[in-house]
Amino acid sequence: MRSRHRRITAAALAAVAVLGLPACSTVLGEQESLADATSLTVGVKTDQPGLGLEDENGDITGFDVDVALYIADRLGVSAEDVEFTGVTSANREQKLIEGDVDMVVATYSITPARKTQVTFGGPYYVAKQDVLVRAEDSGIRGVHDLEGLRVCQGEGSNSAARITEGLGISVRKTEAPSYSACIEDLREGRVDAVSTDNLILAGFLAEDPSSFHLVDEPFTDEKYGVGLPRGDIRGCEAVNDAISRMYQSGRAGELLDTWFGEAELKLVKSVPQFEGCV
């Protein structure tokens, strides 16, 4: 599913969504689906340790990368035919809609609003939102202690809204281009806390355990979905089959241990409850 195929897919599936036709219907004479891919371009984060991090050689590694490679293999696409490209929380939907990527595996929490723009496979993991603070800030022991404090979120994220709107806790929200930028703001004292998924925070904590402290009082479920062009139901079902196999075979547990085994987290290694391909 390189450039021409991706462009047709995005346009065709958009037409399917508008017309209300089944996603596997023939559009413009072609049946377009991720399930038929012979190559893939996958959007991943490139600045999140343990999930998707690009090194000085341009290689991207992490849990999300390995999950994408596993799914690709189950779809019959070899690792050599998978191209990874960086995405951010702010541009994931647009990358799929415009056909720049075939699939997004990038700590992409499934939400009702996002479901109106893309189709989600999975979730492939259910993380928990938590709070990261500076090591010396022992007074912050839970999300309610953030009242009135400066809390950073990455652009395009919903994490602060889950605190203010979801829990009714008034915080001074700041926004940075990415969570790596939020971590730098926390390090330099420009914000008091960073709140997002515990896997993301654990990755940054592992990079610099002497500077930060994970509060470890989770307060939401964050369902990491595999983003697909809207309307690709057959592709979504194929992705879900792959995720099920990944957990049932024990591979998901191995990957979680590889990337987060040293973190003080309760890693969930059972098959997540799928959202359904709609």
Side-chain angles (χ1 to χ4, degrees):
M1 290 178 79
R2 298 293 181 188
S3 58
R4 176 181 175 274
H5 193 95
R6 289 201 308 276
R7 285 196 293 271
I8 293 174
T9 298
L13 290 173
V16 167
V18 170
L19 296 173
L21 298 174
C24 56
S25 296
T26 300
V27 182
L28 301 179
E30 294 189 39
Q31 252 184 338
E32 295 292 336
S33 173
L34 189 85
D36 301 322
T38 56
S39 61
L40 290 170
T41 299
V42 182
V44 294
K45 295 290 185 67
T46 60
D47 64 343
Q48 291 182 347
L51 289 157
L53 185 66
E54 186 172 9
D55 64 20
E56 63 274 9
N57 298 317
D59 296 323
I60 308 172
T61 57
F63 177 67
D64 283 356
V65 174
D66 287 345
V67 168
L69 287 172
Y70 185 93
I71 292 171
D73 181 68
R74 296 293 299 177
L75 293 174
V77 179
S78 66
E80 292 75 19
D81 291 317
V82 179
E83 176 187 351
F84 289 102
T85 186
V87 297
T88 66
S89 296
N91 68 15
R92 288 174 296 200
E93 285 90 6
Q94 204 60 32
K95 292 284 188 180
L96 279 168
I97 291 167
E98 294 180 354
D100 294 329
V101 297
D102 303 307
M103 182 169 77
V104 170
V105 186
T107 61
Y108 199 3
S109 295
I110 300 170
T111 68
R114 289 169 179 167
K115 280 185 175 182
T116 66
Q117 300 186 69
V118 304
T119 288
F120 281 106
Y124 62 92
Y125 190 75
V126 180
K128 305 281 187 180
Q129 186 166 340
D130 213 316
V131 179
L132 192 73
V133 298
R134 287 182 293 276
E136 64 271 19
D137 288 341
S138 58
I140 301 175
R141 299 179 180 178
V143 64
H144 291 277
D145 294 327
L146 298 178
E147 183 83 35
L149 299 183
R150 300 164 299 173
V151 178
C152 186
Q153 72 169 24
E155 183 182 0
S157 173
N158 296 313
S159 62
R162 295 190 190 101
I163 297 172
T164 56
E165 298 170 20
L167 299 177
I169 300 169
S170 177
V171 301
R172 295 158 59 192
K173 183 187 80 171
T174 70
E175 196 165 74
S178 64
Y179 274 106
S180 59
C182 277
I183 295 299
E184 192 57 31
D185 285 346
L186 180 62
R187 187 193 314 276
E188 297 299 323
R190 290 186 287 269
V191 299
D192 302 300
V194 178
S195 182
T196 187
D197 315 339
N198 56 1
L199 287 192
I200 296 174
L201 298 177
F204 286 116
L205 178 62
E207 293 278 287
D208 192 358
S210 64
S211 296
F212 304 113
H213 168 65
L214 183 65
V215 171
D216 197 20
E217 288 292 334
F219 54 93
T220 66
D221 286 341
E222 301 303 321
K223 301 175 181 179
Y224 287 173
V226 177
L228 307 171
R230 179 153 173 75
D232 188 2
I233 306 303
R234 195 155 57 89
C236 174
E237 291 170 345
V239 166
N240 286 352
D241 285 344
I243 294 170
S244 292
R245 179 60 181 166
M246 183 176 69
Y247 277 89
Q248 292 164 356
S249 68
R251 182 57 176 158
E254 293 172 359
L255 294 177
L256 286 165
D257 284 339
T258 295
W259 294 105
F260 301 103
E262 296 183 5
E264 295 182 5
L265 297 176
K266 274 188 182 176
L267 297 170
V268 181
K269 299 180 181 179
S270 56
V271 183
Q273 183 175 348
F274 293 148
E275 288 284 295
C277 297
V278 293

